[in-house]
Amino acid sequence: MAKENASQERRRFGVVDFIIIVAVIAIIFACVMRYTINEGLFTRNDKTCTVSFSVAAVRYNTYDMLAENEKVYLSDFDLLGTLTSKNVTPAVFYAENNEGEIIEAHYPEKTLVDITGELLCKLSLNEGRYTASDGTHICPGATLVLHTESVDLTVLITGVDAVKAAEA
């Protein structure tokens, strides 16, 4: 008799069935999203770029330690590019005079200098952003620690410009 009642009972759609269906749909959606996101991440759009930088108030002999065409790294193994140009000016600081006005003053010779320069880099362009090979965003206003064979510098990125094919 129990078997007859069990076979006659109608199967109903329950809460557990609904949760299982929603979970399967969520898993399918997550797989599709992951595939489309990874497709964009792994498709590299490499561009040759000129990255302008500035270094403020460093010792005067730091300029001499930088050599043009020297390789510049983000870390020990992540090559960012090569140094193509460098310029030096006496470091500037701002002080208040007796009247309360802000004036520009320069450090004495052979003390502190400001260095500006340019790097030739191969960067990836994704969604309007330039990134280095290790994923570091390279954009104006970014502060990065760069390494060369002889010196480590904390630089401020002042510009990123794509090099035209004829120039590269």
Side-chain angles (χ1 to χ4, degrees):
M1 186 105 156
K3 288 184 182 178
E4 289 175 12
N5 285 343
S7 62
Q8 291 176 353
E9 251 185 61
R10 208 170 122 199
R11 300 252 179 213
R12 291 189 293 173
F13 186 75
V15 174
V16 175
D17 297 323
F18 178 74
I19 292 173
I20 290 171
I21 291 172
V22 168
V24 168
I25 291 172
I27 290 170
I28 292 170
F29 180 75
C31 290
V32 168
M33 289 302 295
R34 181 173 177 166
Y35 175 75
T36 57
I37 289 172
N38 282 344
E39 176 105 2
L41 291 177
F42 294 120
T43 307
R44 292 185 56 95
N45 184 9
D46 288 341
K47 301 260 184 211
T48 301
C49 300
T50 301
V51 176
S52 304
F53 68 90
S54 68
V55 183
V58 293
R59 291 180 23 196
Y60 73 96
N61 58 354
T62 304
Y63 177 77
D64 297 327
M65 297 171 95
L66 293 171
E68 290 189 12
N69 297 321
E70 182 175 20
K71 295 191 182 315
V72 178
Y73 299 88
L74 283 169
S75 65
D76 291 338
F77 301 108
D78 293 321
L79 178 66
L80 179 60
T82 57
L83 181 65
T84 56
S85 69
K86 62 179 185 165
N87 300 308
V88 65
T89 56
V92 176
F93 68 96
Y94 297 92
E96 189 175 323
N97 65 11
N98 293 337
E99 289 81 36
E101 299 169 334
I102 302 296
I103 59 169
E104 183 179 292
H106 296 274
Y107 284 94
E109 192 175 328
K110 294 199 174 194
T111 56
L112 298 179
V113 296
D114 293 339
I115 300 172
T116 58
E118 289 185 345
L119 303 169
L120 187 62
C121 307
K122 189 165 280 253
L123 301 176
S124 177
L125 179 62
N126 267 335
E127 297 177 9
R129 296 186 205 158
Y130 289 103
T131 55
S133 61
D134 70 343
T136 302
H137 290 287
I138 310 294
C139 61
T143 303
L144 303 173
V145 177
L146 300 182
H147 310 278
T148 67
E149 193 173 299
S150 56
V151 66
D152 296 341
L153 294 170
T154 301
V155 303
L156 175 68
I157 303 299
T158 57
V160 180
D161 296 312
V163 175
K164 293 181 179 131
E167 295 174 14

